[in-house]
Amino acid sequence: MSDPSFEFTRAITRRPASSIVDGLRATDTGTPDLDQMLADHAHYVATLKETGAEVIELPPLDAYPDAVFVEDTALCLPRGAVLMRPGASSRMGEVAEMEPALRAAYDDVRKISGPGHIEGGDILVTGREVLVGRSDRTDAAGVAELVEIMTEWGHKLREVFTPPGVLHFKTDCSLLDAETILSTQRLDASGCFDGYRVLHVAEGEEAAANSIRFNRFVLCPAGFPRTAGMLSDAGYDVVEINNSECAKLDGGMSCLSLRF
Ligand code: CIR
């Protein structure tokens, strides 16, 4: 039987638009280069496809500079999809742009209607529960609305906290298999993964925590050799993908797709 926490048949991505230069960022570390981002994105999509999955590639959206980070617009589960309500006001309109693709893929599509906010980057689905990190983008009211839907769908939701100064919960962690989490030391220290097997990214390589397990591969941002080596030694099939341009906008491997 397949494991829905890391075995997927489909993914949704969106090509970066030339407006990415206006994407949100906590600190300015330079202007993202569209050609480099397009090349990295193509490598990412090709890697997902190499596992046999179908990738639904949506067109660029110039009106929404951060729309390439599709993960924040929805939560995809075997039973249905939930459209999010981003805490970043400039990203709110991305949800309606994602809705048709999810309605085509799912019979049951729900919506966080507000007034709370919640972004997909703050949600980690493991083999046993749905972990949601409160953050600057995800508030108590947003989580409470998701709890109602998760309860109806038979999922246990546990509220945790994204560390201060960290954009999303999954900026600092990812799922490697149903019971194994890749995490930064700082996030694991909060105790939120007690009872799981946790592998730590190497010190100084915190950005490598935003990786994804997608079928047989673990997609990691390139440039973090100690973490990539540790994952290979642990038996994972690692594919390194250049992430220099998305990193300028605080984005990583998980943000670039919805997986189901
Ligand atoms: C933002 O600030 O919303 C985007 N520049 C980056 C979003 C990254 N998404 C994610 O971590 N799930």
Side-chain angles (χ1 to χ4, degrees), residues 9-45:
T9 56
R10 283 190 277 182
I12 299 177
T13 61
R14 185 181 291 286
R15 275 166 64 91
S18 50
S19 61
I20 50 130
V21 294
D22 297 320
L24 297 173
R25 65 206 81 176
T27 46
D28 197 354
T29 59
T31 305
D33 179 89
L34 179 62
D35 289 339
Q36 181 65 52
M37 199 190 277
L38 283 167
D40 300 339
H41 199 259
H43 183 199
Y44 180 93
V45 169

Side-chain angles (χ1 to χ4, degrees), residues 23-242:
L24 297 173
R25 65 206 81 176
T27 46
D28 197 354
T29 59
T31 305
D33 179 89
L34 179 62
D35 289 339
Q36 181 65 52
M37 199 190 277
L38 283 167
D40 300 339
H41 199 259
H43 183 199
Y44 180 93
V45 169
T47 305
L48 301 184
K49 286 183 180 169
E50 209 182 315
T51 70
E54 176 198 357
V55 180
I56 300 157
E57 297 175 74
L58 301 177
L61 283 179
D62 248 317
Y64 298 105
D66 287 294
V68 64
F69 303 119
V70 288
E71 171 177 74
D72 297 317
T73 63
L75 170 64
C76 293
L77 292 168
R79 163 84 190 265
V82 184
L83 291 161
M84 299 282 114
R85 192 162 185 273
S89 54
S90 67
R91 302 199 59 190
M92 199 80 96
E94 292 175 30
V95 177
E97 298 285 351
M98 180 56 69
E99 188 168 349
L102 290 176
R103 292 211 179 272
Y106 281 102
D107 291 333
D108 198 349
V109 177
R110 309 290 177 91
K111 210 178 249 185
I112 301 294
S113 54
H117 296 278
I118 182 164
E119 296 191 356
D122 279 316
I123 306 176
L124 182 77
V125 180
T126 77
R128 56 172 111 142
E129 61 187 340
V130 176
L131 286 163
V132 185
R134 290 251 299 268
S135 71
D136 287 349
R137 302 285 183 86
T138 293
D139 59 23
V143 178
E145 215 185 317
L146 187 63
V147 167
E148 285 180 27
I149 303 167
M150 292 300 96
T151 304
E152 188 187 329
W153 288 357
H155 289 279
K156 191 174 142 242
L157 185 152
R158 181 158 60 97
E159 185 181 80
V160 289
F161 290 89
T162 300
V166 174
L167 176 60
H168 286 125
F169 188 64
K170 277 187 292 187
T171 305
D172 265 32
C173 66
S174 44
L175 189 87
L176 293 173
D177 55 52
E179 290 294 320
T180 309
I181 287 165
L182 176 68
S183 175
T184 58
Q185 298 258 14
R186 66 185 168 202
L187 180 57
D188 187 28
S190 71
C192 63
F193 300 131
D194 287 356
Y196 286 93
R197 174 177 174 239
V198 181
L199 301 181
H200 290 145
V201 297
E203 216 181 308
E205 295 193 350
E206 283 68 24
N210 188 273
S211 292
I212 53 164
R213 174 77 190 270
F214 190 85
N215 299 327
R216 69 178 191 273
F217 293 138
V218 176
L219 284 75
C220 286
F224 304 102
R226 285 173 294 142
T227 303
M230 179 274 292
L231 290 171
S232 295
D233 290 347
Y236 296 101
D237 194 346
V238 175
V239 178
E240 293 179 73
I241 303 210
N242 184 59

Side-chain angles (χ1 to χ4, degrees), residues 44 69 71 207 210-211 221 243 246-247 249-257:
Y44 180 93
F69 303 119
E71 171 177 74
N210 188 273
S211 292
N243 191 52
C246 289
L249 302 176
D250 308 323
M253 295 295 109
S254 74
C255 328
L256 295 172
S257 59

